[in-house]
């Protein structure tokens, strides 16, 4: 345990290597069928995604960014319409609003890093048409509060569930509270494939039909007739086959991540220099899948550099900036909680490939850094 070992933040080659024979067989099987676009594997995955989340409708898209844009387009976002979102999210959340014709309004975060419902209420004005909460790091927002605000003010809700497949609030899956949601299957996601991929879910048949047409050249899913202008944002059938494979063991993957989070909590929970994310099972309303393990740390940059010398990969999310801090995009607001958070936040390795010894090694080095 004293030697430097390599604990990368994420190990992309292992995504393939750990199950190489199964993937080779799967690709061969799909290839021999010539099943590349809109085939059975995709239909199976769409059905499985709906069944897993409890949504009544689901379809694959090329990536979650497209999925979010399609949600807003289908709802009818118009030029100048404002959508409130957390500033602690990927820029994709905001860009989906812009490319759909609206204006993103980033607001401050709460203690748990997720969008602050009080900040949402404070930002509502006559131009506001919607809210887009990000189910960040695999934790679902307190959606009862957010939905109550939306209902009272007649606002649309699109959930950015890119990081949250399987995460639940009060037993209900992320992505099933609002009008629609998008999920990402980027390789490093808890359910990831071998490229860009995403899914859109919703509980409204008419909205599903609109969104479905938008992602496939405007073609109606049932009749094949063109019913509107659209685009091509289809999920490749081969990627859908990879996702079907991954979904079979998804429960185990989530449990392993939660076990890693428990280990981090047990080994680091006493350090006053750190502020850890909520532990699994710490709140009965939340079931978190730990897409990321993001904490706040004193002397964050020094800690990051030190861990690097010890072979440990870490990441500061979104390249170190919250949405409103990309000033060249025209934002002028100040959001003190998010800004303070971005001076201190760091993500530790969190994935299926880590052993308990890896986690012990990471924790031992963090303790050593703080002289504990
Ligand atoms: C919170 C959030 N929103 C949106 C996205 C965009 O997803 P995609 O890369 O599938 O377009 C991501 C991807 O990392 C994300 O983490």
């Amino acid at each position: 345990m004293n030697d430097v070992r390599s604990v990368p933040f994420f190990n992309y080659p292992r995504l393939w290597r750990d199950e190489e024979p199964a993937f080779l067989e799967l690709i061969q099987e799909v290839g021999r069928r010539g099943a590349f676009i809109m085939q059975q594997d995709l239909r199976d995955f769409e059905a499985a995604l709906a069944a897993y989340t409890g949504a009544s409708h689901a379809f694959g898209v090329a990536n979650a960014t497209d999925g979010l844009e399609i949600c807003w387009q289908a709802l009818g976002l118009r030029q100048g319409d404002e959508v409130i979102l957390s500033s602690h999210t990927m820029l994709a959340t905001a860009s989906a609003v812009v490319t759909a014709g609206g204006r993103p309004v980033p607001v401050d975060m709460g203690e748990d890093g997720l969008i602050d419902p009080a900040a949402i209420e404070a930002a509502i004005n006559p131009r506001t048409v919607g809210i887009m909460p990000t189910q960040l790091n695999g934790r679902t927002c307190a959606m009862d509060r957010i939905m109550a605000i939306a209902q009272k003010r007649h606002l649309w809700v699109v959930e950015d569930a890119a990081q949250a497949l399987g995460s639940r609030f009060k037993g209900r899956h992320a992505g099933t509270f609002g009008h629609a949601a998008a999920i990402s299957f980027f390789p490093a996601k808890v359910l990831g494939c071998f490229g860009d991929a995403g899914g859109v879910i919703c509980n409204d048949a008419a909205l599903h039909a609109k969104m479905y047409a938008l992602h496939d050249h405007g073609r109606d899913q049932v009749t094949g007739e063109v019913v509107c202008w659209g685009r091509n944002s289809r999920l490749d059938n081969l990627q859908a086959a990879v996702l079907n494979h991954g979904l079979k063991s998804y429960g185990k993957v989530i449990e392993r991540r939660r076990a890693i989070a428990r280990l981090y909590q047990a080994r680091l929970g006493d350090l006053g220099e750190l502020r850890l994310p909520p532990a699994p099972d710490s709140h009965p309303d939340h079931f978190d899948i730990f897409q990321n393990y993001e904490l706040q740390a004193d002397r964050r940059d020094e800690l990051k550099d030190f861990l690097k010398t010890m072979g440990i990969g870490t990441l500061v999310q979104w390249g170190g900036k919250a949405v409103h801090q990309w000033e060249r995009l025209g934002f002028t607001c100040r959001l003190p909680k998010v800004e303070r958070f971005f001076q201190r936040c760091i993500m530790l390795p969190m994935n299926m490939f880590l052993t308990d010894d890896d986690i012990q090694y990471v924790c031992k080095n963090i303790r050593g850094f703080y002289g504990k």
Side-chain angles (χ1 to χ4, degrees), residues 62-68 88-93 134-137 160-163 182-186 189 195-199 291-292 317-318:
N63 55 73
T65 311
D66 276 7
L68 293 171
H88 184 1
T89 186
M90 190 181 179
L91 198 53
T93 321
T134 294
Q135 317 298 17
L136 189 73
N137 295 333
D160 181 341
Q163 298 192 348
I183 301 166
S184 176
F185 305 116
F186 182 87
K189 291 291 185 267
D196 278 312
Q291 166 64 58
N292 300 309
Q317 204 154 204
W318 325 127

Side-chain angles (χ1 to χ4, degrees), residues 53-237:
T53 56
S56 37
H57 304 276
F59 64 97
V61 280
N63 55 73
T65 311
D66 276 7
L68 293 171
E69 182 186 330
I70 286 168
C71 293
W72 285 113
Q73 252 186 311
L75 285 167
L77 199 71
R78 286 174 313 189
Q79 205 72 35
D81 284 350
E82 291 188 2
V83 174
I84 298 169
L85 42 89
S86 174
S87 196
H88 184 1
T89 186
M90 190 181 179
L91 198 53
T93 321
S95 69
V97 175
V98 173
T99 49
R103 200 171 89 78
V105 178
V107 299
D108 223 336
M109 53 185 251
E111 290 303 308
D112 58 359
L114 302 168
I115 194 167
D116 179 2
I120 295 175
E121 285 209 273
I124 295 174
N125 70 69
R127 290 181 302 281
T128 309
V129 298
I131 308 169
M132 183 153 45
T134 294
Q135 317 298 17
L136 189 73
N137 295 333
R139 182 176 175 86
T140 308
C141 300
M143 290 305 295
D144 46 3
R145 283 189 69 190
I146 294 174
M147 292 311 296
I149 297 169
Q151 272 147 18
K152 193 168 94 191
R153 310 298 287 262
H154 307 289
L155 303 174
W156 291 311
V157 175
V158 171
E159 293 170 64
D160 181 341
Q163 298 192 348
L165 179 67
S167 166
R168 302 194 292 273
F169 176 70
K170 294 192 173 171
R172 195 161 154 185
H173 276 256
T176 63
F177 294 87
H179 292 83
I183 301 166
S184 176
F185 305 116
F186 182 87
K189 291 291 185 267
V190 183
L191 180 64
C193 61
F194 300 139
D196 278 312
V200 171
I201 58 175
C202 78
N203 285 318
D204 175 329
L207 180 61
H208 166 77
K210 260 193 206 168
M211 297 193 294
Y212 191 95
L214 284 171
H215 100 295
D216 182 29
H217 299 297
R219 280 192 285 246
D220 181 79
Q221 183 177 18
V222 180
T223 64
E225 283 291 307
V226 170
V227 292
C228 61
W229 288 108
R231 70 172 83 186
N232 177 2
S233 182
R234 298 180 302 227
L235 170 59
D236 286 349
N237 192 70

Side-chain angles (χ1 to χ4, degrees), residues 1 5-8 260 264 267-268 271 274 293 295 303 306-307 310-314 347-350 354-369:
M1 286 284 288
R5 67 157 72 196
S6 170
V7 185
I260 292 170
Y264 276 138
R267 291 286 286 126
L268 302 174
L271 295 186
L274 303 180
Y293 195 83
L295 50 98
L303 172 66
F306 171 73
L307 292 178
M310 300 310 291
I312 298 165
T314 60
M347 300 196 296
L348 300 182
M350 167 56 81
L354 300 166
T355 64
D356 286 3
D357 280 350
D358 289 334
I359 306 301
Q360 296 291 2
Y361 175 77
V362 173
C363 295
K364 190 187 83 158
N365 278 291
I366 292 175
R367 298 189 73 84
F369 175 77

Side-chain angles (χ1 to χ4, degrees), residues 30 33-46 235-238 240 244:
V30 171
R33 274 191 282 128
F36 301 118
I37 304 286
M38 304 284 258
Q39 296 298 310
Q40 192 60 43
D41 309 271
L42 177 58
R43 287 192 287 271
D44 290 347
F45 178 64
E46 291 173 338
L235 170 59
D236 286 349
N237 192 70
L238 189 56
N244 280 328

